[in-house]
Amino acid sequence: MGNRKPGRFRLGSFFLAGLPLLLSGTVHAEEAVPLPPLINFPVVCDTSKDCFIQHYFDYDPGPEALDHTCGILTYNGHQGIDIRVSSPQWMEKGFPVIAAAKGKVELTKDGVPDRAFSQDEIRLSRGLAPKPSNSVVINHGDGWRTHYGHMRQGSVIVKAGQEVSQGALLGLVGLSGSTSFPHLHFHLSYKGTNIDPFTGLEGKEGCEAAAEGRSYWSADANAKLGYKSGGVFKTGFSDHFPRYEELETGNVEINQYPPGTNEFYFWVNLWGIRKGDQEEFRVRLPDGDTYQKSDSIKISSVQGLRGFFYSRNIPLPTGVYHINYKLRRPGKQDTPDVIINIDDTMEILPQPSIFTRPPDE
């Protein structure tokens, strides 16, 4: 590290774990289940950058939660697929929700406002029935249905009794009902029993049994649905520790700080964080000084807000600050794999000059 400048400094970190919403469960029917039609991916989005599956079916029969790969991308009792879209693009251009297979629209609901639940509201909602959301249910015959929830207010364009073809537009991804982020909650059901389209199972069988299941997705859908164990929602700088709802609905990012700034915050909103992951934070100041901090993730979390702050009791040097953040995951090799590597910059502006140039003669 370079020579430290006069003044006290603090380099710290913070972590907020995301809280999932609890959805009501279903009664599982013990009967032979006929094959459903192969279903398409129900959101028109680029799964390499615009959307991803944040929550899968829960396969842990107890109070814990495991997805069909025995990973952590689910929560206790979740029986569906949560397809999250990037923000704020979901409000600007919208992401179409389409029929996964042909059938007859059985139920629709619209008129529920788009509003992100706060973390306090999510805590208070635990164990309660979820609030209604803008939604569509399609009957595909032989007891099979697909369900589409949390759609955008005013976007549902189909009516009950209407026949729809596979790929027909139903509405847009939204933020209605019991949720804290924009997504489509999608699930397949057979006579009221929810079925995981990735395995054809109900989830109660345990994640080890999921490997023996079969996919009900079409070939086109399967091509888009490679399992991603983790990634980055958003990253940036601010003047305080942001809350989740601020990241979804407000603008807390600061790229240029005013003269005299003596602290700044850098945060990374991640998903798929696992206990034992190792993170590294490094900041290079405009004067060449460098500080770094490393830490180990203590708690696995589907969503987690990682953050760091840097401060002195005197104004920080003006100029451009270079930040690097790495998240390493232990693997088969001695050196953990770098699964996330972020480089970012921000600037502290100089004091305006008190001198003015004399006018040209």
Side-chain angles (χ1 to χ4, degrees):
M1 289 192 272
N3 295 326
R4 295 181 179 176
K5 304 301 179 187
R8 179 177 59 86
F9 77 90
R10 294 182 296 136
L11 182 59
S13 61
F14 63 95
F15 171 62
L16 295 173
L19 296 174
L21 293 175
L22 300 181
L23 299 180
S24 57
T26 60
V27 177
H28 301 296
E30 296 293 341
E31 61 178 273
V33 179
L35 293 179
L38 291 179
I39 56 176
N40 277 349
F41 192 63
V43 179
V44 179
C45 59
D46 185 341
T47 53
S48 68
K49 62 178 182 179
D50 290 332
C51 61
F52 62 94
I53 297 178
Q54 179 164 332
H55 299 128
Y56 294 84
F57 258 65
D58 175 23
Y59 276 80
D60 188 290
E64 304 301 321
L66 293 170
D67 62 35
H68 65 287
T69 73
C70 296
I72 67 168
L73 298 183
T74 187
Y75 58 87
N76 187 36
H78 189 236
Q79 293 190 325
I81 309 298
D82 286 347
I83 304 167
R84 181 169 184 158
V85 298
S86 55
S87 178
Q89 289 88 343
W90 74 274
M91 278 295 290
E92 294 172 355
K93 66 177 183 179
F95 289 91
V97 176
I98 59 175
K102 69 177 182 179
K104 179 182 287 188
V105 177
E106 190 169 80
L107 296 170
T108 67
K109 184 174 182 59
D110 204 340
V112 180
D114 293 287
R115 184 182 72 88
F117 269 36
S118 69
Q119 295 298 295
D120 287 340
E121 287 175 306
I122 292 172
R123 290 186 183 93
L124 293 174
S125 72
R126 283 182 166 180
L128 302 177
K131 292 184 180 297
S133 70
N134 304 316
S135 56
V136 174
V137 178
I138 299 177
N139 190 326
H140 305 285
D142 296 327
W144 288 101
R145 291 172 174 82
T146 50
H147 306 249
Y148 312 75
H150 302 303
M151 295 170 68
R152 188 197 291 188
Q153 182 181 20
S155 74
V156 177
I157 64 169
V158 293
K159 303 295 182 183
Q162 180 180 341
E163 298 281 351
V164 292
S165 59
Q166 188 173 53
L169 179 64
L170 306 178
L172 299 174
V173 175
L175 189 61
S176 61
S178 300
T179 183
S180 59
F181 57 91
H183 73 284
L184 177 75
H185 174 88
F186 172 81
H187 68 265
L188 176 71
S189 71
Y190 175 73
K191 294 185 177 180
T193 297
N194 294 342
I195 304 295
D196 182 2
F198 283 91
T199 65
L201 304 178
E202 300 175 26
K204 66 180 182 180
E205 301 86 351
C207 62
E208 293 83 2
E212 305 301 321
R214 57 154 293 174
S215 172
Y216 288 161
W217 295 109
S218 66
D220 180 66
N222 274 321
K224 300 178 180 179
L225 292 173
Y227 183 88
K228 299 175 183 177
S229 62
V232 179
F233 294 127
K234 201 174 185 181
T235 181
F237 299 89
S238 62
D239 58 6
H240 65 284
F241 296 144
R243 303 186 308 274
Y244 278 112
E245 46 267 38
E246 286 184 288
L247 301 185
E248 292 294 347
T249 60
N251 184 12
V252 299
E253 296 179 64
I254 299 175
N255 294 317
Q256 290 185 323
Y257 288 77
T261 294
N262 67 351
E263 70 177 7
F264 66 85
Y265 297 77
F266 174 77
W267 45 266
V268 186
N269 192 10
L270 304 170
W271 55 278
I273 303 172
R274 296 186 182 181
K275 181 180 179 180
D277 286 351
Q278 301 165 15
E279 59 181 355
E280 302 169 4
F281 170 76
R282 183 174 182 270
V283 51
R284 178 161 56 86
L285 282 68
D287 58 8
D289 210 352
T290 302
Y291 292 99
Q292 59 187 24
K293 179 181 176 64
S294 60
D295 201 0
S296 179
I297 303 297
K298 305 299 190 297
I299 302 173
S300 296
S301 177
V302 175
Q303 180 177 358
L305 186 59
R306 304 295 298 178
F308 302 84
F309 63 90
Y310 179 84
S311 71
R312 292 179 177 177
N313 57 6
I314 60 174
L316 293 170
T318 59
V320 177
Y321 287 67
H322 296 266
I323 303 295
N324 178 256
Y325 174 88
K326 288 185 175 68
L327 188 72
R328 300 180 185 271
R329 178 158 296 169
K332 297 180 180 179
Q333 306 298 324
D334 292 337
T335 302
D337 299 326
V338 176
I339 63 170
I340 293 172
N341 186 15
I342 298 171
D343 289 301
D344 208 344
T345 61
M346 69 84 176
E347 182 181 14
I348 296 181
L349 299 174
Q351 291 282 357
S353 175
I354 61 173
F355 300 102
T356 58
R357 180 180 176 180
D360 294 334
E361 294 183 359

